[in-house]
């Protein structure tokens, strides 16, 4: 009659327990990778949204006309003045003001671009397309004209950036996306822990039967 080897049985139990622990660690590792990759796209989207909020376009490629001695009022009370022209009528002196306060000026010709930035934030970008000469002075056509929101000033009440539209855009970002953007998703983490415990129990039960 064959007598069971108790030492061998204990050895197999030890090996089985080791396999159960090893399997549980591997499952936990896989779930950790899933959690990490789930958080990465959300973080990228959040960064993209921040960039969009920092570059809200007020004037998008429009054209404006300004006669010498006059000015054109842009949004947020910026004003572009045409102070005069040279004798040939091919270059003009323009000046940017806000609330009658001088900001910047330049001498530009046809095809030149005037850019104004405030603390490294671009506010105005306009190109001189044509300079029309006449007996009473010159008429300057600026095109395209781009103006971006100055975050330090009150936002103009226009349809494109009205408070209602801004609140709608903010509400489209779900709380789950915000949690994922921070790199931590509590429900998914708890789910992974539960799965690890479940699989540990399953493996332990299988090896115990063996």
């Amino acid at each position: 009659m064959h007598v069971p080897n108790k030492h061998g049985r204990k050895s197999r139990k030890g090996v089985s327990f080791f396999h159960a622990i090893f399997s549980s660690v591997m499952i936990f590792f896989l779930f950790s990778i899933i959690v990490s990759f789930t958080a990465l796209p959300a973080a990228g989207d959040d960064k993209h949204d921040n960039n969009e909020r920092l570059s809200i376009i007020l004037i998008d490629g429009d054209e404006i006309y300004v006669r010498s001695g006059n000015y054109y009022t842009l949004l947020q009370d910026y004003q572009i003045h045409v102070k005069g022209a040279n004798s040939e009528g091919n270059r003009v002196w323009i000046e940017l003001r806000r609330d009658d306060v001088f900001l910047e000026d330049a001498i530009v010709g046809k095809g030149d671009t005037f850019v104004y930035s405030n603390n490294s934030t671009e506010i105005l970008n306009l190109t001189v397309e044509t300079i029309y000469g006449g007996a009473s002075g010159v008429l300057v056509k600026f095109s395209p004209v781009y103006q971006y929101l100055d975050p330090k000033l009150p936002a103009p009440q226009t349809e494109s950036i009205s408070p209602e539209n801004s609140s709608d855009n903010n509400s489209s970002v779900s709380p789950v996306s915000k949690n994922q953007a921070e790199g931590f998703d509590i429900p998914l983490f708890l789910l992974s822990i539960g799965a690890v415990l479940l699989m540990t129990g399953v493996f332990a039960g299988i090896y115990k039967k063996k």
Side-chain angles (χ1 to χ4, degrees):
M1 182 177 180
H2 180 71
V3 178
N5 189 342
K6 295 183 179 180
H7 178 73
R9 185 182 302 173
K10 290 182 180 180
S11 178
R12 284 194 299 271
K13 286 184 178 179
V15 173
S16 299
F17 180 77
F18 173 79
H19 280 299
I21 295 299
F22 178 78
S23 301
S24 301
V25 171
M26 291 301 297
I27 294 172
F28 182 80
F29 177 74
L30 292 175
F31 270 93
S32 299
I33 294 177
I34 294 174
V35 171
S36 300
F37 277 98
T38 303
L40 287 178
D45 293 340
D46 185 67
K47 182 177 180 181
H48 180 68
D49 293 340
N50 288 334
N51 290 334
E52 287 184 345
R53 284 194 293 270
L54 293 176
S55 59
I56 297 177
I57 299 177
L58 301 181
I59 299 177
D60 188 8
D62 292 353
E63 59 183 40
I64 62 174
Y65 295 83
V66 187
R67 194 174 297 276
S68 56
N70 293 328
Y71 62 88
Y72 184 93
T73 301
L74 303 164
L75 296 174
Q76 293 189 298
D77 296 327
Y78 284 99
Q79 297 174 340
I80 187 73
H81 293 251
V82 175
K83 306 294 288 186
N86 62 354
S87 57
E88 292 80 11
N90 57 3
R91 296 184 69 80
V92 293
W93 174 24
I94 63 175
E95 184 177 276
L96 181 65
R97 289 175 167 266
R98 185 181 181 279
D99 290 338
D100 293 328
V101 176
F102 171 82
L103 297 175
E104 193 170 328
D105 66 345
I107 305 260
V108 293
K110 182 179 178 180
D112 291 341
T113 299
F114 174 80
V115 179
Y116 170 72
S117 299
N118 187 3
N119 293 331
S120 301
T121 300
E122 185 173 315
I123 303 299
L124 184 65
N125 184 315
L126 52 84
T127 301
V128 178
E129 181 178 297
T130 310
I131 301 175
Y132 303 97
S136 59
V138 296
L139 178 66
V140 183
K141 177 184 178 181
F142 296 97
S143 179
V145 176
Y146 297 95
Q147 184 182 358
Y148 303 92
L149 178 70
D150 189 337
K152 294 185 177 181
L153 299 176
Q157 296 301 313
T158 61
E159 182 179 355
S160 59
I161 57 168
S162 62
E164 290 78 8
N165 290 337
S166 298
S167 61
D168 290 341
N169 292 335
N170 292 333
S171 63
S172 63
V173 181
S174 64
V176 174
S177 298
K178 292 181 180 179
N179 290 335
Q180 291 175 344
E182 294 173 1
F184 187 78
D185 192 325
I186 294 177
L188 189 58
F189 178 75
L190 295 177
L191 179 62
S192 64
I193 294 296
V196 169
L197 296 176
L198 177 62
M199 294 306 296
T200 301
V202 170
F203 279 109
I206 292 175
Y207 286 116
K208 186 176 180 181
K209 291 180 180 179
K210 292 181 180 181

